[in-house]
Short mmCIF file of all heavy atoms in Angstrom, two decimals:
data_model
loop_
_atom_site.label_atom_id
_atom_site.label_comp_id
_atom_site.label_asym_id
_atom_site.label_seq_id
_atom_site.Cartn_x
_atom_site.Cartn_y
_atom_site.Cartn_z
N GLY A 309 25.15 80.18 -175.97
CA GLY A 309 23.75 80.35 -175.61
C GLY A 309 22.92 80.87 -176.77
O GLY A 309 21.85 80.34 -177.09
N TRP A 310 23.44 81.90 -177.44
CA TRP A 310 22.69 82.45 -178.58
C TRP A 310 22.72 81.51 -179.79
O TRP A 310 21.77 81.48 -180.58
CB TRP A 310 23.25 83.82 -178.95
CG TRP A 310 22.83 84.88 -177.97
CD1 TRP A 310 23.61 85.55 -177.09
CD2 TRP A 310 21.50 85.32 -177.76
NE1 TRP A 310 22.87 86.42 -176.33
CE2 TRP A 310 21.55 86.30 -176.73
CE3 TRP A 310 20.26 85.02 -178.31
CZ2 TRP A 310 20.44 86.95 -176.25
CZ3 TRP A 310 19.13 85.67 -177.84
CH2 TRP A 310 19.21 86.63 -176.82
N ILE A 311 23.81 80.75 -179.94
CA ILE A 311 23.82 79.74 -181.01
C ILE A 311 22.74 78.70 -180.77
O ILE A 311 22.03 78.28 -181.69
CB ILE A 311 25.22 79.05 -181.08
CG1 ILE A 311 26.25 80.02 -181.65
CG2 ILE A 311 25.14 77.78 -181.94
CD1 ILE A 311 27.66 79.46 -181.68
N GLY A 312 22.57 78.30 -179.49
CA GLY A 312 21.52 77.34 -179.15
C GLY A 312 20.13 77.87 -179.48
O GLY A 312 19.29 77.16 -180.03
N VAL A 313 19.90 79.13 -179.17
CA VAL A 313 18.59 79.73 -179.48
C VAL A 313 18.38 79.81 -180.99
O VAL A 313 17.29 79.50 -181.50
CB VAL A 313 18.51 81.15 -178.85
CG1 VAL A 313 17.24 81.86 -179.34
CG2 VAL A 313 18.52 81.05 -177.33
N SER A 314 19.42 80.18 -181.71
CA SER A 314 19.32 80.28 -183.17
C SER A 314 19.01 78.93 -183.80
O SER A 314 18.16 78.81 -184.70
CB SER A 314 20.61 80.85 -183.76
OG SER A 314 20.88 82.14 -183.24
N LEU A 315 19.70 77.88 -183.32
CA LEU A 315 19.45 76.54 -183.85
C LEU A 315 18.04 76.07 -183.53
O LEU A 315 17.38 75.41 -184.35
CB LEU A 315 20.47 75.55 -183.28
CG LEU A 315 21.92 75.71 -183.78
CD1 LEU A 315 22.84 74.76 -183.03
CD2 LEU A 315 21.98 75.46 -185.27
N ALA A 316 17.57 76.41 -182.33
CA ALA A 316 16.21 76.02 -181.95
C ALA A 316 15.18 76.68 -182.86
O ALA A 316 14.22 76.05 -183.31
CB ALA A 316 15.95 76.38 -180.49
N LEU A 317 15.37 77.96 -183.14
CA LEU A 317 14.44 78.67 -184.02
C LEU A 317 14.51 78.12 -185.44
O LEU A 317 13.48 77.97 -186.12
CB LEU A 317 14.75 80.17 -184.01
CG LEU A 317 14.51 80.89 -182.67
CD1 LEU A 317 14.96 82.34 -182.74
CD2 LEU A 317 13.03 80.82 -182.28
N SER A 318 15.72 77.80 -185.90
CA SER A 318 15.86 77.21 -187.24
C SER A 318 15.18 75.86 -187.30
O SER A 318 14.52 75.52 -188.31
CB SER A 318 17.35 77.05 -187.58
OG SER A 318 18.01 78.30 -187.58
N SER A 319 15.30 75.07 -186.24
CA SER A 319 14.64 73.77 -186.19
C SER A 319 13.13 73.91 -186.26
O SER A 319 12.44 73.12 -186.92
CB SER A 319 15.04 73.02 -184.91
OG SER A 319 16.43 72.81 -184.87
N LEU A 320 12.59 74.93 -185.59
CA LEU A 320 11.14 75.16 -185.63
C LEU A 320 10.68 75.47 -187.05
O LEU A 320 9.64 74.99 -187.50
CB LEU A 320 10.77 76.32 -184.69
CG LEU A 320 10.78 76.00 -183.20
CD1 LEU A 320 10.57 77.28 -182.39
CD2 LEU A 320 9.69 75.00 -182.86
N ILE A 321 11.47 76.29 -187.75
CA ILE A 321 11.11 76.64 -189.12
C ILE A 321 11.14 75.40 -190.02
O ILE A 321 10.21 75.15 -190.81
CB ILE A 321 12.07 77.72 -189.66
CG1 ILE A 321 11.88 79.02 -188.88
CG2 ILE A 321 11.84 77.95 -191.16
CD1 ILE A 321 12.90 80.09 -189.21
N MET A 322 12.20 74.58 -189.90
CA MET A 322 12.31 73.37 -190.71
C MET A 322 11.22 72.36 -190.35
O MET A 322 10.67 71.69 -191.23
CB MET A 322 13.69 72.75 -190.53
CG MET A 322 14.80 73.56 -191.20
SD MET A 322 16.40 72.73 -191.18
CE MET A 322 16.83 72.90 -189.45
N PHE A 323 10.90 72.26 -189.06
CA PHE A 323 9.83 71.37 -188.63
C PHE A 323 8.49 71.77 -189.27
O PHE A 323 7.74 70.93 -189.76
CB PHE A 323 9.71 71.42 -187.10
CG PHE A 323 8.67 70.50 -186.52
CD1 PHE A 323 8.99 69.17 -186.24
CD2 PHE A 323 7.38 70.93 -186.26
CE1 PHE A 323 8.04 68.32 -185.71
CE2 PHE A 323 6.44 70.09 -185.73
CZ PHE A 323 6.75 68.79 -185.46
N TYR A 324 8.24 73.06 -189.29
CA TYR A 324 7.00 73.56 -189.90
C TYR A 324 6.95 73.27 -191.39
O TYR A 324 5.95 72.79 -191.92
CB TYR A 324 6.90 75.06 -189.64
CG TYR A 324 5.71 75.71 -190.32
CD1 TYR A 324 4.41 75.56 -189.82
CD2 TYR A 324 5.89 76.47 -191.48
CE1 TYR A 324 3.33 76.15 -190.45
CE2 TYR A 324 4.81 77.07 -192.11
CZ TYR A 324 3.53 76.89 -191.60
OH TYR A 324 2.47 77.46 -192.24
N ARG A 325 8.08 73.51 -192.08
CA ARG A 325 8.11 73.29 -193.53
C ARG A 325 7.96 71.81 -193.87
O ARG A 325 7.26 71.43 -194.82
CB ARG A 325 9.41 73.84 -194.11
CG ARG A 325 9.49 75.36 -194.07
CD ARG A 325 10.85 75.85 -194.58
NE ARG A 325 11.03 75.51 -195.97
CZ ARG A 325 10.62 76.25 -196.99
NH1 ARG A 325 10.01 77.40 -196.76
NH2 ARG A 325 10.82 75.87 -198.23
N CYS A 326 8.62 70.94 -193.08
CA CYS A 326 8.51 69.50 -193.32
C CYS A 326 7.08 69.02 -193.07
O CYS A 326 6.57 68.15 -193.79
CB CYS A 326 9.47 68.73 -192.42
SG CYS A 326 11.20 68.94 -192.88
#
Side-chain angles (χ1 to χ4, degrees):
W310 285 112
I311 289 177
V313 172
S314 300
L315 290 175
L317 293 176
S318 300
S319 299
L320 285 173
I321 294 173
M322 289 188 288
F323 182 86
Y324 175 76
R325 291 176 64 87
C326 289

